[in-house]
Amino acid sequence: MSVDHSGRKILVTGAANGLGLGIAKVLAASGAQLVLADIDRKVLDRALEAEFAGHAIALVRDLAEPDAGRALIDESVRAVGSLDGLVNCAAWSFHKPALETTVEEFDRLVAINQRAPYFLACHFVLQLSAATVDPCIINIASVNGLVGNPNLVAYAATKGALLAMTRALAVEFAPRVRVVAISPGSVRTHVTNQLIESGQIDPETLVDTALIKRFIQVEEIGELVSFLLSPAARSITGANWVFDGGYTTR
């Protein structure tokens, strides 16, 4: 589906690699002006790539910092002006049994996956101008917030919280701001490839748990994000779009 996002100014977190980068490329191709944010300094080079020529600036920020949400929104507004879209894609995870997870690991997960999207959303709303049309926040959650999987308990807790937050923010910010979640299943990213190479996950077993037995491509999620930011989705808020090849139906 071809969507024209010319005039849109959108902050995408976690945009240096993987899913965030894929989402950003789809939005750039549709004409959006982007702020690409990531803890990885590679994001500075990403903004210079051909796909983003004239469509993006990059900011480096660790979302685990207590004031990261306010600081990142303020920096974005100074760089491109008032935002009308926010894609909370940045996340952190690890595969580890619950009984072995440390307090430090748990706190960093909560800081990045739950606290940062919360305050990014709040400061996004605070910076809106009276002229902003159809402002929208999209939270990238996970099927792990809907089903149980071993070695991902702490991560699942933060994604479940993100889904609950999406619903509550949609109610509190209505009708001014739409808030939507997407829960991807097995997406093929550089992190997925690393987990496969290290033997932490078996790709055949993983895709076999879904009805559509293949990995989801980052561009597919990007197309859904583009739709949800478009006028065609102006009546969609508070919803969780499960994009998992049928995994959660089993």
Side-chain angles (χ1 to χ4, degrees):
M1 181 181 68
S2 178
V3 179
D4 183 4
H5 287 308
S6 300
R8 274 271 195 196
K9 295 179 180 179
I10 305 166
L11 168 60
V12 181
T13 67
N17 302 288
L19 186 52
L21 178 60
I23 290 169
K25 286 182 176 181
V26 171
L27 295 177
S30 69
Q33 177 66 39
L34 301 175
V35 178
L36 310 179
D38 207 292
I39 188 175
D40 188 342
R41 296 188 65 83
K42 187 185 294 183
V43 74
L44 299 172
D45 296 324
R46 295 296 192 197
L48 301 176
E49 293 177 358
E51 295 97 326
F52 297 112
H55 287 281
I57 63 105
L59 298 173
V60 177
R61 175 68 59 173
D62 182 357
L63 293 184
E65 297 171 357
D67 201 31
R70 180 201 58 78
L72 189 51
I73 293 294
D74 286 351
E75 289 178 78
S76 299
V77 172
R78 284 195 296 270
V80 302
S82 182
L83 302 168
D84 54 28
L86 167 63
V87 183
N88 281 315
C89 186
W92 184 58
S93 182
F94 52 83
H95 280 64
K96 197 172 189 180
L99 297 181
E100 297 176 11
T101 300
T102 67
V103 171
E104 291 77 17
E105 289 169 334
F106 186 87
D107 285 350
R108 184 168 179 81
L109 271 175
V110 171
I112 296 172
N113 298 2
Q114 183 178 350
R115 186 180 69 195
Y118 181 96
F119 286 103
L120 280 163
C122 290
H123 288 285
F124 169 81
V125 172
L126 290 171
Q127 62 82 50
L128 292 173
S129 72
T132 305
V133 177
D134 190 30
C136 182
I137 299 167
I138 298 178
N139 294 320
I140 306 299
S142 169
V143 292
N144 288 288
L146 301 171
V147 300
N149 280 305
N151 300 323
L152 286 168
V153 177
Y155 173 76
T158 62
K159 290 303 185 178
L162 188 59
L163 291 173
M165 186 177 79
T166 296
R167 293 189 295 269
L169 288 178
V171 173
E172 186 160 325
F173 293 162
R176 181 73 175 101
V177 181
R178 295 188 297 112
V179 188
V180 188
I182 299 174
S183 289
S186 298
V187 181
R188 194 68 182 247
T189 68
H190 71 294
V191 173
T192 309
N193 291 334
Q194 289 172 355
L195 291 171
I196 291 171
E197 291 170 5
S198 67
Q200 293 187 65
I201 60 174
D202 174 53
E204 292 186 7
T205 300
L206 191 61
V207 298
D208 193 52
T209 59
L211 302 181
I212 299 173
K213 301 185 185 305
R214 65 173 179 82
F215 280 99
I216 298 163
Q217 301 302 309
V218 293
E219 294 79 11
E220 295 176 74
I221 306 296
E223 293 291 348
L224 177 55
V225 170
S226 181
F227 164 72
L228 291 172
L229 287 165
S230 77
R234 62 188 179 275
S235 293
I236 297 173
T237 192
N240 175 35
W241 290 63
V242 181
F243 202 134
D244 67 347
Y247 168 69
T248 54
T249 64
R250 299 295 292 268

